[in-house]
Amino acid sequence: MQLYLLPGSTYAGDIDSLVLLITGIVGFWYVVTNLMFFYLLWRYRAVEGQKALYVTGHEPDLHRWIAWPHYLIIACDVVLIVGAVRVWYHIKQNLPEAGETVRVVGQQWAWSFQHPGKDGLLDTPDDIKTVDEMHVQVGQVVHAKLESRDVLHSFSVPVFRLKQDVIPGRVITAWFEATVPGVYDIQCAEMCGIGHGIMAARIHVETPEEHQAWIAQASPQI
Amino acid sequence: MFHRSTSAVFGLLVGCSTAPTVGTPEDAAYRFDETCAPCHGAAGAGNPEIAAPAIAGLPAWYVTSQLHKFRDGVRGTHFDDIEGMRMRPMAKAVFEDAAIDALGTFVEALPSQRPAPTVAGDAAAGQASYATCTACHLADGSGNPALQAPPLTHQPDWYLVKQLAKFKHGVRGAHPKDTSGATMRPMAQTLADEAAMNNVIAYVMTLGK
């Protein structure tokens, strides 16, 4: 059963595991602290004839109630940091060799794509230029060269768990390797003006045969 | 705009929207304010800083036909049509046919706001080229709805020059479903270069006065 969005790239599972780890650890402590908080509210509620007591927190038998959870949470933080750095290194610091490189141009409020065409090279006459639709091959590492024509955007493909800011004046390389053929959403994940909410496109993840057929059909007449 | 958005949110929260009925003049005014005015201005006078042309007073048939084209991806989906791609999601936001019709009527009723000329061209030289245009746009530039030819006397000159270039280079009018655009494309191709475009538009700016 699919409990959440399809994991459609090689690293989608890593991201999901990290999110689950964070949710699990933070959720555990959220429940524990709330249970403790409400228990103490009830246990030390106002009682007729009993004076309130000021506790500084320095008494050894009380101090350990603060110190021990503190140590445990620091230990949990270390686990989270190690998990996060491993995923960050794998996705953001590591750039596998490209099977195909596509230029992705964000503007208010559309995504346009320059595919390399038959020769596999960008900026040649056989490039395939599209608006609102990107075509990639399943099982192939794709480098997306992200550019903006105007303001900040963010190239987000939820099924790939990919989200990368697009910054005017810079060319930022994002990568992914799609694992499941299909047609999925691309969205803008950085407020970019009045049309931001409907700045959507679609990514077509195709089998090698479908991808070659698309290239043949969409290639410009030269 | 802020209090309208806020009241719309409250309307949704209590289960009844305060937005007017689709297709009514109130609906058109509301949508113009929400969707069109941020770029084209409250009076539809346009804003050259963001390449938004004046639209006030354009005939309803033309406004609706272009909104349909933008909404349906017939216009504003070329890789190099930067301004068109900016317009497209706005048209997609007004997705009901009745709302588009009402907006067309609303825009037509706005007093025409043609800005002063900005393009330097030789109107006398442009007059000769304009002979080609008269077949559809008529000698006075008032257009002919029967031929899907809009009036040329409402929009700013920088916009008209830009559209000529887009038609010439297939950035506009090249979509297989853009039949009226396909009519305009070969006409724009008769203009040799940017100077020829500037000249003919300089002449167009003398019309309708």
Side-chain angles (χ1 to χ4, degrees), chain B residues 95-111:
Chain B
F95 51 85
E96 307 98 326
D97 287 353
I100 289 180
D101 289 346
L103 259 183
T105 311
F106 182 87
V107 170
E108 186 178 70
L110 294 171

Side-chain angles (χ1 to χ4, degrees), chain A residues 1-73:
Chain A
M1 191 174 70
Q2 190 74 49
L3 281 176
Y4 45 84
L5 193 64
L6 167 89
S9 74
T10 47
Y11 54 65
D14 298 339
I15 302 261
D16 287 350
S17 303
L18 184 62
V19 171
L20 278 175
L21 181 72
I22 294 169
T23 309
I25 290 178
V26 175
F28 170 78
W29 285 105
Y30 176 78
V31 171
V32 167
T33 44
N34 273 282
L35 286 175
M36 194 67 188
F37 177 67
F38 286 106
Y39 167 74
L40 292 175
L41 279 183
W42 173 80
R43 174 71 181 74
Y44 297 103
R45 64 195 181 281
V47 176
E48 192 75 35
Q50 185 172 326
K51 259 183 89 179
L53 181 69
Y54 180 70
V55 177
T56 63
H58 287 92
E59 301 81 350
D61 60 326
L62 297 177
H63 184 256
R64 66 169 180 261
W65 284 94
I66 300 164
W68 279 102
H70 196 177
Y71 300 142
L72 287 172
I73 287 170

Side-chain angles (χ1 to χ4, degrees), chain A residues 103 105 107-114 129-132 149-150 194-196 198-200, chain B residues 1 34-35 38-39 76-90 92-93:
Chain A
R103 178 170 292 130
V105 183
Q107 71 150 70
Q108 290 176 320
W109 294 279
W111 294 105
S112 357
F113 305 94
Q114 188 174 350
K129 294 176 175 179
T130 58
V131 173
D132 289 351
R149 276 172 168 155
D150 38 42
I194 189 172
H196 164 69
I198 38 180
M199 182 175 163
Chain B
M1 202 161 88
E34 291 285 300
T35 313
C39 293
T77 48
H78 189 282
F79 190 83
D80 295 319
D81 191 1
I82 295 167
E83 300 82 9
M85 282 192 264
R86 204 177 300 146
M87 176 62 201
R88 195 165 168 244
M90 300 299 112
K92 281 160 88 178

Side-chain angles (χ1 to χ4, degrees), chain A residues 89-107:
Chain A
Y89 182 81
H90 174 50
I91 298 171
K92 296 289 188 184
Q93 301 289 310
N94 166 44
L95 184 64
E97 204 171 323
E100 189 169 54
T101 301
V102 181
R103 178 170 292 130
V104 176
V105 183
Q107 71 150 70

